[in-house]
Amino acid sequence: MSLAHVWPLFGLEVTVGDLSLRLPRDEEVAALARLAGDGVHRPDERPFLTPWTEGGPEARARFVLREHWSALASWEPYDWRLGLAVFVDGEPVGSITLRARDLAVLGEVSTFSWLGLAHHGRGIGTRARAGVLSLAFDHLGARSATSEVFPDNHASQGVSRRLGYEPDGVSWGVRGDEALLSDRLRLTRERWAGAPEPVEVRGLDACRSYFG
């Protein structure tokens, strides 16, 4: 009996050109953890509200493992986090998470992503986000997608602008003893122009009930 037979989400795959987005298997999770340990942004940057990158390589690697296991263990159709590894020609280069609560009622998803530092600046982040947005809008019936990003996180801001997100106010968060302001961005189904290149979704029918 295959893993995808027991947990059909392991059979779900989104492809965008040479990118493949899917749940990683154990050894691939370990490779992702090592990738995060090597760094996901420059030392002078602090792009995340949760300061998971500010420890050493082992702390970053453990965070990736915990997040992967936690998302699988806590999955409910009304509250889920789909943490997909991003592969380029079979090599894991980062991770992108699509999250929703009460999707059938609220119709809203959010995203979170990171790439290994060596893979920045190649357009991978935009293409991976477009892939999960296609999954959300074109296949899961989402009505909007949100993102919260620091004003000085120019890379993430640029991805959102290219895909059609609009300003949707601001939010405050706490990191240690700091109060930090984030831009809240929203992309509606009406503004979603589709991915800039063809997106293929396979294996969704077997796990559609997992998404509420």
Side-chain angles (χ1 to χ4, degrees):
M1 186 178 295
S2 70
L3 186 59
H5 181 81
V6 178
W7 193 257
L9 288 167
F10 278 99
L12 177 63
E13 183 174 18
V14 179
T15 57
V16 187
D18 62 346
L19 297 189
S20 174
L21 315 176
R22 58 175 174 80
L23 283 179
R25 277 57 171 176
D26 284 348
E27 288 306 311
E28 293 166 339
V29 177
L32 278 176
R34 289 192 295 271
L35 183 68
D38 290 338
V40 301
H41 59 76
R42 297 194 310 268
D44 61 332
E45 296 176 323
R46 301 182 75 191
F48 304 121
L49 183 62
T50 301
W52 69 276
T53 61
E54 295 180 13
E58 289 186 1
R60 291 192 292 270
R62 286 194 296 268
F63 178 88
V64 170
L65 294 175
R66 289 197 305 267
E67 281 294 293
H68 172 73
W69 292 327
S70 173
L72 292 178
S74 63
W75 189 286
E76 297 288 352
Y78 56 82
D79 187 0
W80 48 263
R81 288 175 290 154
L82 181 65
L84 303 175
V86 181
F87 296 88
V88 177
D89 295 328
E91 176 191 2
V93 299
S95 174
I96 185 162
T97 297
L98 183 70
R99 179 170 188 168
R101 290 183 179 174
D102 296 311
L103 178 63
V105 179
L106 299 176
E108 184 174 283
V109 298
S110 60
T111 61
F112 168 80
S113 63
W114 60 267
L115 294 172
L117 189 56
H119 304 286
H120 288 202
R122 297 165 53 189
I124 294 172
T126 301
R127 297 170 68 212
R129 179 104 66 95
V132 297
L133 290 174
S134 179
L135 173 63
F137 285 124
D138 303 331
H139 298 271
L140 297 177
R143 296 192 296 273
S144 64
T146 64
S147 178
E148 294 188 5
V149 57
F150 292 146
D152 61 355
N153 188 342
H154 303 299
S156 183
Q157 292 268 6
V159 168
S160 297
R161 285 195 301 271
R162 284 190 288 275
L163 292 172
Y165 286 73
E166 295 181 299
D168 189 41
V170 298
S171 63
W172 286 94
V174 175
R175 182 172 60 191
D177 58 359
E178 297 178 278
L180 298 175
L181 181 71
S182 293
D183 291 327
R184 182 174 170 87
L185 307 173
R186 179 178 298 273
L187 175 63
T188 63
R189 183 189 294 177
E190 291 73 22
R191 280 189 58 82
W192 167 242
E197 59 187 299
V199 175
E200 183 178 358
V201 176
R202 293 189 293 272
L204 178 59
D205 287 346
C207 57
R208 190 174 290 276
S209 64
Y210 284 63
F211 295 98

